[in-house]
Amino acid sequence: MKLPKVRELGEAIRSLLSRPFTNGYPFVKLTPPDGFRGKPEYYQDDCVGCLACYEVCPARAISYEDNKEAKERTLTHRADLCIFCQQCEKACITEKGIKLTKAFELATYERKNDLSRSKKELVLCENCGEIVGCLDHLKFLAKKVGPLLYTNPTLLLARHDELNLLEKARGQASPHPRAGHLKILCPNCRREMIVKEQW
Amino acid sequence: MAKETMIPIGPYHPLLEEPEFFKFYVEGEKIVDAEVRVGYNHRGVEKISEGKTFDQATFVVERICGICSTSHPFAYVRAVEDISGIVLPERAEYIRTIIGDLERIHSHLLWVGLAGHFIGYNTVFMWAWKYREPVLDMFEVISGNRNHYNMFKVGGVRRDIKETDVPGLLKAIDDVERFCGMLLKAVIDDPVIKARLKNVGVLKKEDAIAMGVVGPVARASGIPIDVRKDHPYAAYDRVNFERIVMEGGDVFNKAAIRLLECIESTKIIRQCLKQMPPGPIDAAVREVGVGEGIGQHEAPRGECIHYVRSNGSNYPERHKIRAPSFMNVPSFKLTVIGESIADAALITAAVDPCYCCTERMAIVDRESDKVLLTGEEMVRLSQAKTEKLKQKCLY
């Protein structure tokens, strides 16, 4: 009877003498450890609009909208649907386009407005007007593939656009029947152009 | 004959985890019949999982349960790996073992705290949750979240355990081991707890076999089943640990088994951290073949089974889940009959189904459907009984 009480008394005294185990959270700011999975944020400069994050998201918290008139693609991340699984960050081809922050105080009055957006310029097919991809995505790929770039006119032209050589190249080639080679085309139009090409 | 009263117990709120519904028929204080119904909260997880890719489905099954959120992904990834016989890197197997057993510790400590609360020992509640906190903090450091760790993927784990995290982890499990040892002795020595838990809600061995209970509930009734020993997986065959089995099957045994298992889990984690070899943590699975696979995992509440059939596409064709509580909950029908209402909250909590179930109880008079007692009053009733016993035992 006596012994157990002494043992528990030890724990009680230890608790009495130590500081409170809880912390004064709303007044004392909490810093999560490194690697904490908080709210994801888009980084406009590093995002290329490739939709890899949209593909992997298990909760479908990421959506996108293409506006052909304005030539703009908007990627939207909704924090109220997000499950903070970090798959978007891991799938990101630039590894910097969308990243998880340490933000965890996400309470808001209007859940639907808790958004993070990335707006990217779209490249449209010069023949049919279909979407080829985001300009930054094509430039990123052009840099990534290195010399192989010269096998793909769409990538090459996207790169030329960056170097302000596009107009020059087009101006030279426009009267030639094979001018189609120097157009930014969607895969369908490019195939068609190659098949129907007249020599 | 005393007037028979019906007591319905159960949450109808779909937000609560694992809703169950109990109807207790009582005569005075004594429960004469019980009715258990499950299936109130159909979330369609199996169908949702079939609409996700193999990789995405791990996140779906993780969210089946908030407390044991590793057991379902563990069983699921094992089922998918079983389809095409994927071999894991050794380090991934050790990390899986560590995560699985850390979770057992935090789940059992949560239960111990709640059991203490139900019998009116709020000190136990506070202490158990105090020692559970460092375990959750370590989860946050290792995986990035206190719950829903997202550690499992088909063919490995998603994050490595860094060298710098190991000292903190060792300290947390040392504290847990010391606390469990202290609490175990306190539970065994305390006459009030003994009077309150011993021979209450007894599940006999033959009844336990007939009901097909699993996990700590079965081991408390003397059935030595433990997937970790019977069909070793991950790194469980490379570490030494005891299979805890007790005869008796009452609430006291169920409590003692959970505390002893916490101590065994700390041993497993310590050995894993020691033996863990460096190397890759992911087998980089490119595709899942055609076929079917079964994955088991000894979750804190018992054996969790997942069945996955693949037709060679990116999505599971069929995904069947059997959670351990599904087997354990019907055993109430045998354990609760003959006990008093004051013990009902404790007995239903003893199989660790889900505490939210017992918090939303109400006693209803059969004739008038008038609510006589609410869930909080039931807990208060249980706590008052302990007070009475305390007076008798101590003074």
Side-chain angles (χ1 to χ4, degrees), chain B residues 38-345:
Chain B
V38 291
Y40 271 85
N41 191 7
H42 180 71
R43 292 183 288 177
V45 169
E46 293 178 9
K47 196 67 198 168
I48 295 171
S49 161
E50 284 161 31
K52 306 273 178 199
T53 62
F54 280 111
D55 194 44
Q56 287 176 340
T58 51
F59 301 108
V60 178
V61 295
E62 190 159 33
R63 277 151 183 84
I64 292 171
C65 178
I67 300 169
C68 53
S69 65
T70 284
S71 42
H72 286 286
F74 206 144
Y76 167 74
V77 293
R78 288 197 65 224
V80 178
E81 282 154 11
D82 186 32
I83 292 173
S84 45
I86 295 158
V87 181
L88 292 189
E90 210 175 340
R91 190 176 173 85
E93 291 191 332
Y94 277 102
I95 292 175
R96 282 185 178 188
T97 313
I98 291 170
I99 296 294
D101 267 86
L102 263 184
E103 189 192 65
R104 194 181 320 279
I105 292 174
H106 105 72
S107 177
H108 282 349
L109 284 182
L110 178 136
W111 180 85
V112 166
L114 284 169
H117 171 66
F118 281 138
I119 61 170
Y121 272 51
N122 277 327
T123 319
V124 174
F125 173 56
M126 292 292 171
W127 278 351
W129 283 44
K130 176 186 166 184
Y131 284 98
R132 177 175 170 258
E133 204 57 28
V135 177
L136 292 181
D137 284 346
M138 279 325 291
F139 267 130
E140 194 171 12
V141 169
I142 294 170
S143 71
N145 211 346
R146 285 161 58 90
N147 241 307
H148 298 316
Y149 322 116
N150 291 359
M151 287 292 274
F152 284 73
K153 72 183 283 189
V154 176
V157 288
R158 287 180 206 271
R159 277 202 199 194
D160 205 350
I161 293 180
K162 292 191 279 299
E163 230 13 78
T164 48
D165 300 341
V166 174
L169 188 53
L170 282 174
K171 192 185 171 298
I173 61 170
D174 281 347
D175 283 353
V176 165
E177 192 175 17
R178 192 174 55 79
F179 168 72
C180 287
M182 193 262 294
L183 195 64
L184 195 67
K185 283 183 201 138
V187 165
I188 289 169
D189 289 342
D190 196 311
V192 180
I193 291 185
K194 222 177 205 172
R196 195 64 220 283
L197 305 184
K198 269 266 180 202
N199 296 322
V200 169
V202 178
L203 185 64
K204 288 192 220 77
K205 188 172 179 178
E206 55 270 23
D207 287 343
I209 294 171
M211 296 303 274
V213 293
V214 289
V217 182
R219 291 196 286 274
S221 297
I223 309 171
I225 51 166
D226 187 332
V227 189
R228 295 175 294 169
K229 280 276 186 198
D230 297 338
H231 309 282
Y233 56 98
Y236 285 118
D237 52 346
R238 276 159 271 177
V239 290
N240 292 321
F241 67 101
E242 294 288 318
R243 185 203 308 248
I244 315 276
V245 183
M246 282 185 174
E247 307 289 330
D250 53 11
V251 181
F252 185 83
N253 284 323
K254 284 169 191 161
I257 277 208
R258 291 204 169 92
L259 285 170
L260 285 169
E261 276 189 5
C262 280
I263 297 174
E264 289 306 315
S265 287
T266 60
K267 283 182 196 159
I268 293 174
I269 294 166
R270 214 169 284 130
Q271 289 175 51
C272 281
L273 287 172
K274 211 172 173 186
Q275 297 173 11
M276 198 159 61
I281 56 163
D282 189 2
V285 179
R286 286 275 155 224
E287 65 178 70
V288 178
V290 184
E292 47 189 9
I294 286 179
Q296 300 152 289
H297 171 57
E298 182 72 22
R301 285 156 188 76
E303 185 187 20
C304 173
I305 301 176
H306 279 234
Y307 164 84
V308 178
R309 188 166 71 227
S310 159
N311 56 4
S313 72
N314 229 352
Y315 300 86
E317 192 187 15
R318 177 79 179 96
H319 186 183
K320 169 86 186 91
I321 301 162
R322 204 225 55 201
S325 283
F326 184 74
M327 304 305 293
N328 289 340
V329 164
S331 70
F332 294 154
K333 190 148 173 75
L334 295 174
T335 51
V336 144
I337 291 170
E339 306 288 346
S340 69
I341 310 175
D343 289 330

Side-chain angles (χ1 to χ4, degrees), chain A residues 87-107:
Chain A
Q87 291 306 289
C88 47
E89 184 183 324
K90 289 198 175 153
C92 183
I93 59 167
T94 65
E95 297 173 1
K96 290 179 278 189
I98 183 165
K99 273 192 165 180
L100 266 63
T101 58
K102 283 189 181 181
F104 63 94
E105 290 158 315
L106 304 178

